[in-house]
Amino acid sequence: MTDLFSLAWPADQLGAALAALGAAANLAPRQSKTPLTPANLPDDVDGLSRWIQTAVATLGFEAEPTRIAYSELPAFLQTAGPALFRLQTDGQSRFLVVHKTRRKTAVVLGPDRRAYKIALDDLRQTLSAGLEKPLLAEIDAMLAETAVLRTSTAKQARVRQFILQEQLGGAPIEGCWLFDLSPGSSFKKQLQRAGLFRHTAVFAVVYTIQHFLFLASWAVIGRAVFQGRVEFGWLIAWALTLLSIVPLRSFNTWLQGIVAVNVGGLLQKRLLYGATRLHPDEIRHQGAGQLMSRVFESEAIETMSLNGGVRGLTSVIELLMAGWVLALGAGGVWHALLLFAWLGMIGGMLVIFYRRRRRWTESRRDLTHYLIEVMVGHRTRLAQTRRRHWHRGEDDDLAEYVQVLDEVDRTAIVLETLISHGWLVVGLAGLVPAFVSGSASPEALAISLGGVLSAEMAFRNFALGLVNQLLAAMIAWEQISPLFWAAARSEPQGAPEMTAVKRDEERENGRLLDVHDISFQYNERSEPVLHHLDLRVQSGDRILLEGPSGGGKSTLAAVLTGLREADGGLLLWRGLDRPTLGYPGWRSRVVFAPQFHENYVMGSTFMFNLLMGRQWPPRSEDVQAAVELCEALGLSELLSRMPAGMLQTVGETGWQLSHGEKSRLYMARALLQGADFIILDESFAALDPQSLQKAMATVLERAPTLLVIAHP
């Protein structure tokens, strides 16, 4: 067994280990200008995870802390690289840097920055040794008393491992981090890392060979026919050529699947990441229908762009091969140029079709938006609108939609007909001079005719791929591109050494938050909402902020928590500004529960909605803290009514929560994040006097520092 501790990096070189891994795995586009490893590196896993995530963010990639069940460790290690594992011996921590894994071996970067191969089984034994050690003595003693196993070392090892799996199957192994490019990094680099360009190039080469073999098969049989006799050997050659296409086509289908899965996963991940980077004002004025349309378009672009892209690539290869065949035929080079001239004319018609299809797509989006908004406001319409006015304007909208759709359909029919069938007429017309003059041989005419038919098949593929799918994907792209580019927005991650500061040290009595000369103005307003505001918050303060609607209370809370950027002034947390602490660090210290209409219950379990800001998946202590807080807030009765308790699905399609229950859920979500400063905006307005008293007492007891916003 390899001594992995000798290959592990000491704690004081963890920053260098991360930089070396980033360079080796082609993850880090930049190098840190300052040393990454602080002198007071956290000992606990959570603090260490925060430091590692901040450190690798300064290098340009991301880290994901992972807990592995004992039973899942062998399968996990098969695809673990690049990864970092913490090894503990004699009370000291060392870190094993795994570059990549290959079946039964892993490539490890040692402190000397050299690569070493180790067995995955050695890595598994080292990581699980801490869990196995307390049980091994008892198991070995039991096996020694078993006469059947006494003479077989192999049987003893299998039985020992089986018993360990039964005893430790769900036991977690902590101290593991997986590394990858950030979803907001260069999408080209993400595609390159996923092997898209390599796979696409291989696909193009294999498809070219496949199409060449297809043409060669007909050339073989055609030559035999024009010689006036079909020999058995030529038939065998023709059949073998066709059979050779089968494995190539299967290989290309496999490649298509790999590309579709990889690109689709990267695109969905980036769009989701971009959605979290959108500024509130970018979606504040969008209705549910517009957001739903954006979701539909994001799903459509994945399938349409991939399918259309494959068809477009294959049609280009087929057209190039067809042009080569035409150049060898009776029409010569001029016949091949006629093919590409026809392709240029089709391009002009595609512009017209694109504009009409875009207009139809916009009309469809408007109808979708209107329909969903009507469904959401159905009860209001029933109560406040007369029956005869319920469907006013719907017939006109549908008539306009049908008219636009009719234009698109007629243009699509004409375009698809011209692309393929029109070429047959043009291509055959190009053979007329050679046929009339009689200067071309039958073999040359047959080659030209085959080139025309081959180009017709390529144009048909071109029409299906480009017209029906790629153009639709281009139109859909206009809807989701804001999400795609929003993912590239950078946020200050702060200095890694700030994450190593013990939070208990920050909670000592003293100045917590300083606001100096803060101003904020909405773009649509002529007067600022916040004007040269000064505020000082001491640790342990309980602040009540009252004021009329529109007075800037919620805006101030958004500025304090980092949801909005002030137009001027200075905001400090214990003397440190937001870029120094980083946006994640700032938001972990200041937590905001917005007003009811700006807060959400996700369509997941009640437990997820409670702990989504703390840690997921949760540990046993997290679940216990959530249960205790729910009891303190008076949510025990709600949990007892739920068939699945904390695991009950809630949200629009799950268990329906009342206004007051949602408000207490939002309070619990904020308190469970363990922040130093809690801001609650109108959180108590929906509670009855008894629930209000209980919730207020719980919040005052558990919030280190509190700001409550309320109407007078």
Side-chain angles (χ1 to χ4, degrees), residues 542-564:
R542 268 79 175 115
I543 304 171
L544 175 62
L545 178 60
E546 292 184 331
S549 297
K553 304 185 299 298
S554 299
T555 302
L556 173 61
V559 171
L560 294 181
T561 53
L563 294 178
R564 294 188 180 278

Side-chain angles (χ1 to χ4, degrees), residues 383-435:
Q384 300 182 4
T385 306
R386 294 184 178 182
R387 186 182 184 89
R388 64 175 179 271
H389 295 158
W390 283 359
H391 304 290
R392 174 179 291 180
E394 291 180 4
D395 293 339
D396 294 338
D397 292 339
L398 287 174
E400 181 182 356
Y401 175 77
V402 171
Q403 180 182 356
V404 175
L405 179 60
D406 183 61
E407 293 178 359
V408 172
D409 288 341
R410 284 189 281 108
T411 306
I413 292 173
V414 171
L415 187 58
E416 291 181 13
T417 302
L418 280 178
I419 287 179
S420 58
H421 301 304
W423 161 250
L424 282 178
V425 177
V426 174
L428 292 176
L431 287 176
V432 170
F435 182 79

